[in-house]
């Protein structure tokens, strides 16, 4: 029987983002998000993203490999949250400040099969998909110097924000750097100046080598054992999937390149192949444990912006996967403190125990 954990864990990269890990029963008033109804059909006559319905989408931006027999297709978003149609100047009035909602919002149809899940896609396809992310990010950065960040993300399931069942990702290019990316960039730069190491590389090293027993000061009882590989979910030749020690979400997993790399745009062909393998296996583990859980994933990479130019050594790109297994409570929204009711050590153990081919 496991000892209940109740402690506030500080995110090592962004210390202002802490999480309350509380596994005792009383800490579980949270409602569970229902698994997304899984639409496993491969073709749906009325779906605008399905093959044969290309005329139903906004204009195509790119497709892989060729337009007619595409496997991945990028189109403009029908209801963009940011766009380039308006040219309003920025506005400041008293405490009200606005930045023109200039930007791009695009949809990437991940696969021509309607209801295919990420872990069911072949590794060559996943390599193609991540390659398409890279190409499109690069093109957007090049297209306009006002764009300071290109965010690639995926929503799966209605609670995770997906409004169309056909598997797809989104690309949003904005004139501002998102706060959470900026916090990671600034904090890792400060860490680098002090320690001359990339904090993400240090976390990977720690995950691979650390072994310790932490005792309670008063009772002398073991409070926590940290074992080699305890937080490692999946390890490839070039990528690693880690369960963060201060995970905000119960089943959150991060994937990082093992060798230091700040900018996702630098990813090589060999990298893509290994990323595809680590990604497929990680998603298969999550699916086996959570069965169709709604989730988001998003890419955090070095912004293409003057203020981030000196961060190539200190920032380390990564993919954050955040399954939505509970609904945030008033306590979480009011305090900004995330509550995680599954000990990250336990979650990691369950994910690692899944047998996959
Ligand atoms: Zn479809
Ligand atoms: Zn690094
Ligand atoms: Zn991040």
């Amino acid at each position: 029987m496991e000892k209940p954990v109740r402690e506030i864990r500080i995110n090592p990269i962004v210390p202002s983002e802490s999480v309350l890990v509380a596994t005792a029963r009383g800490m579980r008033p949270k409602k569970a998000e229902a698994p997304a109804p899984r639409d496993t059909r491969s073709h749906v006559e009325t779906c605008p993203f399905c093959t044969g319905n290309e005329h139903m989408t906004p204009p195509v931006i790119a497709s892989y490999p060729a337009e007619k027999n595409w496997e991945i297709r990028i189109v403009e978003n029908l209801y963009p949250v940011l766009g380039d149609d308006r040219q309003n100047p920025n506005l400041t009035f008293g405490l009200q400040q606005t930045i023109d909602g200039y930007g791009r919002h695009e949809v990437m149809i991940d696969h021509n099969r309607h209801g295919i899940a990420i872990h069911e896609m072949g590794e060559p396809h996943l390599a193609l998909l991540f390659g398409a992310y890279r190409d499109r990010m690069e093109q957007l950065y090049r297209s306009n110097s006002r764009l300071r960040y290109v965010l690639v993300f995926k929503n799966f399931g209605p609670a995770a924000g997906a409004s169309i069942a056909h598997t797809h990702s989104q690309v949003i290019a904005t004139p501002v750097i998102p706060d959470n990316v900026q916090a990671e960039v600034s904090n890792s730069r400060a860490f680098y100046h002090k320690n001359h190491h990339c904090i993400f590389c240090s976390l990977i090293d720690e995950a691979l080598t650390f072994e310790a027993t932490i005792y309670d000061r008063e009772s002398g009882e073991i409070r926590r054992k940290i074992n080699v590989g305890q937080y490692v979910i999946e390890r490839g030749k070039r990528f690693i999937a880690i369960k963060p020690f201060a995970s905000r979400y119960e089943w959150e997993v991060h994937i990082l390149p093992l060798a230091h790399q700040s900018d996702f745009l630098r990813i090589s062909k060999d990298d893509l192949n290994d990323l595809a393998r680590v990604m497929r296996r990680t998603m298969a583990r999550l699916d086996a444990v959570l069965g169709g859980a709604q989730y988001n994933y998003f890419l955090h990479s070095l912004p293409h912006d003057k203020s981030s130019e000196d961060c190539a050594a200190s920032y380390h790109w990564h993919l954050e996967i955040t399954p939505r297994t509970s609904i945030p409570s008033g306590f979480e929204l009011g305090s900004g403190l995330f509550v995680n009711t599954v000990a990250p050590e336990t979650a990691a153990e369950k994910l690692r125990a899944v047998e996959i081919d």
Side-chain angles (χ1 to χ4, degrees):
M1 187 63 204
E2 250 161 279
K3 254 184 74 188
V5 182
R6 189 175 61 202
E7 57 192 21
I8 291 174
R9 296 190 179 180
I10 314 293
N11 178 336
I13 295 150
V14 185
S16 57
E17 263 181 29
S18 40
V19 55
L20 171 61
V21 177
T23 63
R25 273 192 92 157
M27 287 311 301
R28 284 185 210 159
K30 294 170 80 179
K31 247 186 101 190
E33 294 276 14
R38 187 64 207 289
D39 185 345
T40 52
R41 291 174 292 178
S42 60
H43 189 268
V44 174
E45 213 53 60
T46 53
C47 169
F49 291 175
C50 273
T51 317
N53 295 341
E54 288 80 4
H55 62 281
M56 288 167 75
T57 67
V60 64
I61 293 163
S63 66
Y64 296 76
E67 171 66 40
K68 203 159 157 277
N69 300 310
W70 60 270
E71 285 175 38
I72 295 168
R73 195 162 176 265
I74 309 171
V75 299
E76 286 178 36
N77 195 305
L78 194 52
Y79 305 105
V81 294
L82 294 167
D84 51 12
D85 46 342
R86 296 181 312 133
Q87 288 293 332
N88 294 338
N90 300 344
L91 173 88
T92 305
F93 174 76
L95 293 174
Q96 305 179 5
Q97 282 188 42
T98 66
I99 295 171
D100 180 29
Y102 172 81
R104 300 281 306 173
H105 187 179
E106 300 171 355
V107 173
M108 198 175 287
I109 303 164
D110 294 336
H111 202 287
N112 56 22
R113 263 182 62 195
H114 183 83
I116 191 169
I118 289 283
H119 69 275
E120 295 168 334
M121 296 179 191
E123 286 169 18
H125 185 90
L126 286 172
L128 190 68
L129 179 62
F130 279 85
Y133 291 165
R134 176 198 57 200
D135 294 352
R136 196 55 200 147
M137 284 170 72
E138 191 162 45
Q139 289 156 8
L140 283 167
Y141 277 127
R142 244 192 294 117
S143 73
N144 194 313
S145 57
R146 281 171 73 193
L147 297 172
R148 297 173 73 197
Y149 198 76
V150 181
L151 180 69
V152 171
F153 62 99
K154 179 174 174 70
N155 306 330
F156 176 79
S163 49
I164 288 186
H166 193 121
T167 183
H168 67 283
S169 311
Q170 298 183 56
V171 184
I172 293 191
T174 70
V176 292
I177 300 172
D179 261 356
N180 51 357
V181 176
Q182 188 58 61
E184 287 182 356
V185 170
S186 309
N187 287 315
S188 56
R189 171 167 44 201
F191 182 93
Y192 188 85
H193 284 161
K194 222 171 127 197
N195 303 287
H196 312 287
H197 285 295
C198 158
I199 189 169
F200 297 89
C201 284
S202 303
L203 285 169
I204 295 171
D205 288 343
E206 220 171 71
L208 290 172
T209 58
F210 213 70
E211 202 160 13
T213 306
I214 300 168
Y215 296 95
D216 189 87
R217 258 184 241 180
E218 270 145 42
S219 67
E221 271 179 51
I222 293 173
R223 272 186 58 190
R224 182 157 62 243
K225 266 190 146 124
I226 298 168
N227 302 320
V228 176
Q230 189 177 18
Y231 297 101
V232 179
I233 305 299
E234 190 65 55
R235 199 193 155 167
K237 280 200 188 77
R238 293 159 184 258
F239 286 86
I240 189 166
I242 288 181
K243 178 86 194 108
F245 145 87
S247 297
R248 296 158 296 177
Y249 299 94
E250 277 79 3
W251 301 95
E252 179 175 355
V253 176
H254 294 184
I255 296 181
L256 305 93
L258 280 163
H260 182 79
Q261 196 170 47
S262 61
D263 192 345
F264 175 71
L265 299 194
R266 296 282 177 84
I267 196 167
S268 69
K269 201 168 180 306
D270 288 342
D271 289 340
L272 282 170
N273 292 335
D274 193 60
L275 174 61
R277 181 168 179 276
V278 170
M279 182 70 183
R280 183 186 67 78
R281 293 174 61 89
T282 301
M283 295 308 281
R285 290 180 189 283
L286 284 167
D287 186 73
V289 175
L290 300 175
Q294 313 199 34
Y295 67 85
N296 302 102
Y297 69 61
F298 43 88
L299 263 174
H300 278 169
S301 180
L302 191 67
H304 280 218
D305 167 76
K306 277 249 170 322
S307 67
S308 313
E309 267 171 4
D310 62 338
C311 297
S314 57
Y315 194 68
H316 196 124
W317 76 261
H318 54 276
L319 181 81
E320 300 192 21
I321 306 165
T322 56
R324 302 291 199 96
T325 49
S326 61
I327 296 166
S329 66
F331 173 64
E332 290 177 292
L333 295 174
S335 65
L337 189 68
F338 281 85
V339 179
N340 182 339
T341 59
V342 180
E345 296 71 29
T346 311
E349 208 177 298
K350 286 204 174 129
L351 291 172
R352 258 201 321 272
V354 174
E355 290 203 16
I356 45 173
D357 38 287

